[in-house]
Amino acid sequence: MTLMGAAALLILVLTYAGVAIGRIPGLRLDRAGIALLGGAAMIAIGALSMEDAYRAINFDTITLLLGMMIVVAHLKVSGAFRGLGAVAIEHAHAPFMLLVMVTLLTGVLSAFLVNDAICLVMAPIVVHVTRVIKRNPIPYLIATATASNCGSVATITGNPQNMVIGALSGISYPAFSAALAPVALFGLVAVIVIIRIVYRTEFARTVTLTPEVSRGRMHKGQVLKAVVVCIGLAVAFFAGVPVAKAALVGGAILLLTRAIKPERIYREIDGPLLFMFAGLFVVVAGAEKTLLTPDIIASAKDLGLDDVWRLSGFTAVLSNIMSNVPAVLALRPFIPGLENPERAWLVVAMSSTLAGNFTLLGSVANLIVAEQARAAGTQLSFGAFFKVGLPLTLITLAVGTAWLALGF
């Protein structure tokens, strides 16, 4: 190994370790800063030129994520999410029906919009409603987190790792959904069943509920406009319009308004996530150029990654070690050389997302729900989540892997 190769390997390991941990001890660097520092280090040692670094960043992914963030921000700020949540939850007149409503609403919204943003909206609603009707909030909060992960499996726009895979693989939006929407639907049913079993005392007695959700102030014109844009986006996605182009145009249209100050929308955009993506793209490209010889890339076959079950398990473990987006990028150089790259990408999308349900730390969506609950005075513990997360992850991964093994 050359000196540059050794330096690139060190940068790769330190960057991924930092992203997995979330910080560097003694420094105030978050995941975005760590990824950007890693990318800059790759350029500094000469692993990549500036031109190579620019080309390494997949701007389709960045653009898609930015466009969807703007769309979701308008739905949130206009009051559309709050209104939809109120209508759905107020029709749940029994604890089990409340569980079903929370699961389906979170899962369906997460299928088409970024799941992390849905958790930001749903978690406070769940805490408020369960407090008003004097129910245990924990099973409903776990349903929110796990349903957002399961539902987001269904489409390219469901979560950030799917967006990366959509851009890298070239799989069309309809083909992606046709393959993975059944897995997502099974996952939502599994969430309901497993939580019903694990927290059976919560649902044992028949109780009539009258949940009320504060709708707050709604910008009715903006709600209508956002809904129309979302319908247009769904049509465009399934019609084959490039998803990044459609999302950017949809987001730009929503910025044309007199009712909502643009600053309110900009505050909802997760800039650090965009920075982290850019940095990781550069780090992976630097490592690929200096370290990954054709022989090493071909070794993926020696690892047996052509086998759907082995690839699924490997991705799930990797996602829990380093988080799902970094895991997907780490696998990027190896997937094109496999026997069936399209199926392999679908396996990686399914497994990296469903693996997020394994522990409370498994996905950003889980952490958002836990943090929103804590801010409202409710503690969602690691153990309480794990009682549902363990069986849910094992069952959904097994069914999802079997489905993809049979379907392609």
Side-chain angles (χ1 to χ4, degrees):
M1 182 182 295
T2 64
L3 182 60
M4 182 183 294
L9 178 60
L10 180 63
I11 292 168
L12 178 70
V13 170
L14 291 178
T15 301
Y16 268 72
V19 169
I21 297 170
R23 62 186 181 86
I24 294 178
L27 297 176
R28 293 192 174 185
L29 271 179
D30 59 3
R31 286 185 169 90
I34 292 167
L36 283 176
L37 179 61
M42 283 292 187
I43 296 169
I45 67 170
L48 293 173
S49 66
M50 288 299 295
E51 290 74 17
D52 289 336
Y54 296 146
R55 285 192 292 268
I57 299 172
N58 190 301
F59 285 101
D60 279 349
T61 302
I62 304 295
T63 302
L64 172 58
L65 193 54
L66 176 60
M68 293 306 297
M69 284 178 180
I70 295 172
V71 172
V72 170
H74 269 276
L75 288 168
K76 180 181 177 181
V77 172
S78 67
F81 281 143
R82 198 164 47 245
L84 180 60
V87 170
I89 290 175
E90 286 174 358
H91 284 81
H93 299 302
F96 182 69
M97 282 307 301
L98 180 60
L99 173 65
V100 172
M101 284 292 189
V102 168
T103 301
L104 294 182
L105 181 61
T106 305
V108 171
L109 288 175
S110 295
F112 293 99
L113 304 168
V114 187
N115 66 333
D116 298 346
I118 302 305
C119 287
L120 277 169
V121 175
M122 286 298 299
I125 293 176
V126 169
V127 172
H128 169 74
V129 167
T130 52
R131 183 172 293 164
V132 168
I133 61 178
K134 296 180 172 58
R135 307 301 300 181
N136 176 12
I138 299 303
Y140 306 100
L141 286 169
I142 294 173
T144 302
T146 55
S148 76
N149 290 324
C150 290
S152 73
V153 169
T155 70
I156 287 173
T157 53
N159 56 58
Q161 62 269 22
N162 283 5
M163 294 183 188
V164 173
I165 290 169
L168 296 178
S169 68
I171 300 173
S172 69
Y173 200 95
F176 191 102
S177 297
L180 292 182
V183 178
L185 180 59
F186 174 83
L188 295 181
V189 173
V191 168
I192 295 169
V193 172
I194 292 172
I195 291 178
R196 172 67 177 81
I197 293 170
V198 172
Y199 288 93
R200 50 190 172 275
T201 55
E202 168 66 18
F203 308 102
R205 291 180 294 112
T206 302
V207 180
T208 300
L209 305 179
T210 54
E212 294 183 5
V213 181
S214 173
R215 286 169 169 78
R217 183 186 176 191
M218 292 183 66
H219 298 275
K220 293 184 179 179
Q222 287 303 305
V223 169
L224 178 61
K225 183 178 178 182
V227 169
V228 170
V229 167
C230 285
I231 294 172
L233 282 177
V235 172
F237 290 155
F238 283 103
V241 176
V243 288
K245 177 181 178 180
L248 184 63
V249 172
I253 290 172
L254 287 176
L255 289 175
L256 289 169
T257 174
R258 292 185 301 174
I260 298 174
K261 292 181 179 180
E263 290 82 3
R264 295 185 66 189
I265 302 300
Y266 301 153
R267 283 197 295 269
E268 300 294 330
I269 294 173
D270 191 350
L273 182 62
L274 300 178
F275 293 150
M276 187 185 81
F277 270 60
L280 287 177
F281 276 126
V282 175
V283 169
V284 171
E288 187 175 354
K289 185 175 180 181
T290 56
L291 297 171
L292 298 184
T293 65
D295 289 340
I296 293 177
I297 293 176
S299 67
K301 290 186 177 294
D302 297 332
L303 293 174
L305 296 184
D306 274 319
D307 179 77
V308 170
W309 291 92
R310 187 168 296 185
L311 177 60
S312 178
F314 186 79
T315 303
V317 172
L318 200 62
S319 297
N320 273 285
I321 292 173
M322 62 174 61
S323 188
N324 39 36
V325 171
V328 167
L329 290 175
L331 288 168
R332 182 188 73 172
F334 303 97
I335 300 300
L338 299 180
E339 183 179 342
N340 189 335
E342 180 173 326
R343 181 180 67 178
W345 277 122
L346 291 170
V347 171
V348 170
M350 179 273 301
S351 184
S352 64
T353 301
L354 295 179
N357 283 330
F358 187 59
T359 71
L360 189 59
L361 306 177
S363 77
V364 174
N366 301 349
L367 295 175
I368 288 173
V369 170
E371 177 57 29
Q372 292 289 307
R374 188 195 63 78
T378 298
Q379 187 69 33
L380 176 56
S381 69
F382 187 96
F385 188 95
F386 191 66
K387 286 191 296 186
V388 173
L390 174 61
L392 177 63
T393 302
L394 295 177
I395 291 169
T396 54
L397 278 176
V399 170
T401 306
W403 169 261
L404 291 176
L406 293 172
F408 286 83

